[in-house]
Amino acid sequence: MATEQPTKQKLWGGRFTGKTDPLMHAFNQSLKYDQRMHDADIRGSIAYAKGLTKIGILTPQEESKMVEGLKVVGKEWADGVFVPQEDDEDIHTANERRLAEIIGPLAGKLHTGRSRNDQVATDMRLWLLDNVDDIEQSLKALLNVMVERADNEKEYLMPGYTHLQRGQPIRWAHLLLSHAQSFKCDLERLQQLIPRISVLPLGSGPLAGNSFSIDREFLRKELGFQSISENSMWGVGDRDFIVEFMMWASLTMTHLSRLSEDLIIYSTAEFGFVTLSDAYSTGSSIMPQKKNPDSLELLRGKSGRIFGNMAGFMVTLKGLPSTYNKDLQEDKEPLFDTVDNVSASLKIAEGVIATMNVHSEKMRQALSADALATDLAEYLVRKGVPFRETHHISGRAVALAESRRCQISELSVDDFKKLDARFGDDVMAVFNFETSVEHRASIGGTSLAMVQRQVDILRAALKN
Ligand code: ARG
């Protein structure tokens, strides 16, 4: 049996006479995962030490000593030489304990008016802001690869699908950019989260506010936050910024998942539109011929887990009484997991898109004349026939071709004229895939000019 923990060394040990159960000690300890926030924690403490000097709690000499000590602790973490102690409950207690070892009892002044409640909320926000920055760069890199690929491959035509059945001819670039449009919205949404993450909670104390009139505007500037929490109880109890980020991640992963699904289907032998590079595929342990799109399957699969992180933490929050409750410590693992997996997913998606081979001839072969049945109906519309009528006439042409086991493009001009007298000798010109895509020339269509327009707009958005 593990030895029981003496309580007197604990930060909050003063009022305790009994000992902590060893399992409880481990259950409560968050250092193994919240040590990831070591840099944010040190930054927050340095700013707070400077704030304490401004209100006369520290002398300038004490401040320098404290800041130097905090920098030493930070460097130990950065160099991987920080030695956690059994009683370090979390990153905040670990850093304060170590600071005291380095600078002595002066370290005991750092927590004046501060609580781990405003401290942890500050650390989480700082940490997430840094990571949102990285994720934004990865998302832009993915978008960039998609836009460049689309621009280079604008000429490739393929069937566009609804219900996964051939619908109308499209440009391959149009399909790729349809996914890019989702990611562009994700980029905007991510940027819109920042003002709600960038709120300073430090100076809220445990819940009621700071007892020593700490200058919160000074803290805000020091730490680079956009604004200051206007209610101390909200400051320590709010984790909506984490929920919102995980909602964002769930939607972004959904977009990665849908893109992956398209590419998984297109990479089958039956379609053969794309081949993933070896760098993003794996083999089978038994079937030597297999080249599996594991990268895409993992992107699709991880979307479920990211959604689960969000949903799980929402359940944790629901029903909590106001301000800080230890349940909130459960924000970290799902958030860290979400950040890690979304970051990796965006980079993997970028690599897959950048390196896959696209087989334009296979795409072209998949285009059959029946995908032009709408164009045939629209031919008659251009001759003045109401669309509802032309839809039926074109449908009869499809049925006739089906009964003869041929393509509608193999019917003769006479066949068409027999179906409807308004068909002219020029009807066969309908059976041209280029003409078809070029007809879709309104904004948002698959014509060359409209695909180019999307490329230009997305490129401009990425420059900002
Ligand atoms: N490790 C804690 C967390 O992550 C820090 C805050 C602890 N506050 C407290 N009153 N026990 O939430």
Side-chain angles (χ1 to χ4, degrees):
M1 199 183 127
T3 47
E4 290 186 331
Q5 299 300 311
T7 50
K8 62 176 182 296
Q9 290 148 270
K10 287 197 197 292
L11 204 77
W12 37 259
R15 59 100 63 221
F16 284 77
T17 49
K19 291 174 177 162
T20 310
D21 176 88
L23 182 58
M24 173 56 199
H25 175 76
F27 195 56
N28 188 40
Q29 198 169 43
S30 55
L31 184 65
K32 48 192 173 298
Y33 46 86
D34 69 14
Q35 59 178 266
R36 288 185 67 160
M37 306 192 301
H38 62 80
D39 180 59
D41 195 67
I42 296 289
R43 274 151 64 203
S45 287
I46 289 176
Y48 197 72
K50 290 180 180 171
L52 289 177
T53 310
K54 286 200 78 191
I55 53 171
I57 303 282
L58 296 180
T59 66
Q61 292 76 8
E62 286 175 326
E63 179 200 301
S64 317
K65 196 174 168 190
M66 194 176 275
V67 169
E68 283 321 302
L70 284 164
K71 284 183 179 164
V72 172
V73 179
K75 189 164 177 342
E76 288 183 0
W77 279 114
D79 296 345
V81 296
F82 187 100
V83 185
Q85 301 295 307
E86 185 58 30
D87 259 324
D88 291 343
E89 196 176 299
D90 51 27
I91 184 64
H92 325 294
T93 52
N95 282 345
E96 197 180 323
R97 187 264 309 155
R98 184 69 189 122
L99 180 68
E101 286 168 5
I102 297 168
I103 67 166
L106 170 63
K109 288 193 175 181
L110 175 60
H111 219 50
T112 311
R114 187 176 72 167
S115 156
R116 276 186 295 161
N117 298 352
D118 55 348
Q119 188 178 0
V120 70
T122 304
D123 290 7
M124 290 295 278
R125 287 174 183 273
L126 284 174
W127 185 87
L128 185 54
L129 284 169
D130 287 346
N131 283 279
V132 162
D133 234 45
D134 288 352
I135 288 174
E136 186 179 335
Q137 297 320 313
S138 303
L139 182 53
K140 283 182 173 167
L142 168 63
L143 262 165
N144 188 56
V145 158
M146 294 176 83
V147 170
E148 293 314 309
R149 180 128 222 173
D151 195 21
N152 290 331
E153 294 171 348
K154 286 193 296 277
E155 306 294 337
Y156 301 177
L157 302 190
M158 64 179 280
Y161 300 86
T162 61
H163 312 264
L164 213 51
Q165 309 288 321
R166 283 177 201 161
Q168 295 176 330
I170 55 163
R171 293 184 187 277
W172 147 248
H174 198 51
L175 172 100
L176 202 51
L177 292 175
S178 71
H179 291 286
Q181 297 292 344
S182 301
F183 294 126
K184 178 179 176 263
C185 293
D186 292 330
L187 180 60
E188 289 165 7
R189 271 187 287 266
L190 185 65
Q191 291 162 343
Q192 287 158 0
L193 293 184
I194 293 172
R196 284 185 298 281
I197 305 173
S198 190
V199 183
L200 172 87
L202 195 58
S204 297
L207 80 158
N210 187 282
S211 316
F212 297 92
S213 303
I214 195 95
D215 182 349
R216 299 190 70 205
E217 179 52 28
F218 170 80
L219 295 177
R220 182 195 71 75
K221 278 207 207 97
E222 279 291 301
L223 292 169
F225 281 104
Q226 289 183 11
S227 66
I228 301 174
S229 60
E230 291 291 338
N231 181 305
S232 57
M233 296 174 79
W234 179 84
V236 298
D238 174 69
R239 294 295 184 277
D240 292 358
F241 64 100
I242 293 173
V243 172
E244 250 195 297
F245 174 79
M246 294 198 291
M247 286 174 167
W248 172 85
S250 302
L251 189 55
T252 301
M253 288 303 298
T254 302
H255 296 147
L256 283 172
S257 180
R258 293 188 70 180
L259 166 65
S260 299
E261 177 62 6
D262 273 356
L263 295 177
I264 288 167
I265 293 169
Y266 296 161
S267 69
T268 58
E270 286 72 10
F271 278 78
F273 294 174
V274 299
T275 309
L276 294 207
S277 85
D278 285 356
Y280 296 98
S281 314
T282 59
S284 156
S285 55
I286 178 164
M287 298 168 283
Q289 85 285 7
K290 291 293 287 291
K291 181 168 161 182
N292 297 326
D294 292 37
S295 49
L296 297 170
E297 292 167 88
L298 283 168
L299 290 175
R300 192 178 56 187
K302 279 181 187 294
S303 63
R305 161 206 190 134
I306 299 305
F307 185 91
N309 286 343
M310 185 267 291
F313 186 58
M314 286 275 266
V315 176
T316 297
L317 278 185
K318 187 200 77 67
L320 284 192
S322 289
T323 79
Y324 184 81
N325 300 270
K326 198 57 172 272
D327 316 47
L328 293 181
Q329 183 162 286
E330 289 297 306
D331 59 357
K332 287 169 194 63
E333 287 166 294
L335 177 65
F336 296 164
D337 183 71
T338 299
V339 164
D340 290 344
N341 281 289
V342 171
S343 301
S345 295
L346 291 168
K347 292 189 179 92
I348 293 289
E350 181 200 340
V352 170
I353 305 268
T355 58
M356 70 186 175
N357 277 315
V358 175
H359 308 297
S360 57
E361 65 300 340
K362 281 287 222 173
M363 292 177 169
R364 186 82 196 198
Q365 281 161 22
L367 277 169
S368 50
D370 54 303
L372 296 169
T374 319
D375 296 76
L376 184 65
E378 288 170 357
Y379 162 94
L380 285 177
V381 168
R382 291 176 216 279
K383 305 252 178 211
V385 187
F387 177 73
R388 279 289 158 234
E389 237 183 276
T390 69
H391 184 281
H392 282 285
I393 300 163
S394 177
R396 288 210 300 278
V398 171
L400 179 63
E402 229 166 53
S403 73
R404 292 196 195 157
R405 297 185 200 293
C406 72
Q407 294 286 321
I408 39 171
S409 55
E410 288 161 2
L411 298 175
S412 68
V413 176
D414 281 347
D415 289 330
F416 283 111
K417 287 184 172 171
K418 258 179 240 155
L419 279 168
D420 193 288
R422 289 164 292 190
F423 277 117
D425 291 336
D426 57 351
V427 60
M428 301 315 281
V430 164
F431 302 111
N432 181 307
F433 299 116
E434 265 75 20
T435 312
S436 168
V437 292
E438 284 310 281
H439 271 150
R440 274 82 202 205
S442 287
I443 293 174
T446 197
S447 74
L448 192 61
M450 289 306 116
V451 169
Q452 187 62 54
R453 180 186 155 107
Q454 295 175 64
V455 166
D456 295 344
I457 290 173
L458 286 165
R459 254 197 207 129
L462 284 173
K463 276 207 189 104
N464 290 331

